[in-house]
């Protein structure tokens, strides 16, 4: 069952985020990693989330399953890069969501 890795954040340092993206792309989207489904800086938040709005930028990656998404995210290689993204953004949410199998 495939899984989605969803990240939502506000960007505080665009140049540093670009440096992170260049380094993280081969880790997150390599042959043994995930597939980019969406990356946008125009996230629209719905009123049901309450008074605290979400981040403006959302990234959605698809992996072969939740375990693989978690393994890539927690890998030593990615964790070294994660500090760059955290320093360039204000994270709002990060989650892995298993997709339902086709019936």
């Amino acid at each position: 069952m495939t899984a989605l890795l969803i990240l939502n954040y506000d960007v505080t340092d665009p140049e540093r985020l670009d440096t992170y993206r260049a380094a993280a792309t081969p880790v997150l989207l390599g042959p043994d990693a995930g597939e980019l489904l969406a990356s946008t800086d125009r996230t629209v938040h719905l009123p049901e989330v309450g008074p605290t709005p979400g981040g403006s930028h959302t990234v959605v990656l698809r992996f072969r399953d939740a375990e693989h998404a978690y393994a890539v995210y927690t890998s030593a290689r990615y964790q070294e890069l994660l500090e760059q993204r955290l320093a360039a953004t204000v994270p709002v949410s990060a989650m892995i969501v298993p997709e339902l199998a086709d019936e």
Side-chain angles (χ1 to χ4, degrees), residues 36-50:
L36 179 65
L37 296 182
S39 178
T40 182
D41 62 357
R42 295 179 286 163
T43 301
V44 175
H45 294 278
L46 304 175
E48 69 183 62
V49 298

Side-chain angles (χ1 to χ4, degrees), residues 14 19 21 24 37 39-40 45 49 56 58 63 70-71 75 84 93:
T19 300
R21 286 180 179 148
L37 296 182
S39 178
T40 182
H45 294 278
V49 298
S56 61
T58 301
F63 290 84
Y70 187 78
S75 70
Q84 291 180 36
S93 63

Side-chain angles (χ1 to χ4, degrees), residues 7-96:
L7 307 170
N8 180 247
Y9 50 82
D10 283 316
V11 178
T12 56
D13 187 338
E15 288 180 18
R16 191 167 192 172
L17 187 62
D18 286 343
T19 300
Y20 154 81
R21 286 180 179 148
T25 294
V27 176
L28 294 173
L29 303 179
D32 263 342
E35 167 192 9
L36 179 65
L37 296 182
S39 178
T40 182
D41 62 357
R42 295 179 286 163
T43 301
V44 175
H45 294 278
L46 304 175
E48 69 183 62
V49 298
T52 305
S56 61
H57 199 97
T58 301
V59 176
V60 181
L61 304 171
R62 180 173 30 220
F63 290 84
R64 67 177 172 242
D65 56 44
E67 292 77 18
H68 187 236
Y70 187 78
V72 170
Y73 180 86
T74 60
S75 70
R77 193 168 170 211
Y78 182 69
Q79 290 300 301
E80 291 174 10
L81 301 170
L82 179 59
E83 292 303 316
Q84 291 180 36
R85 180 171 61 82
L86 296 177
T89 65
V90 175
V92 175
S93 63
M95 65 192 79
I96 295 172

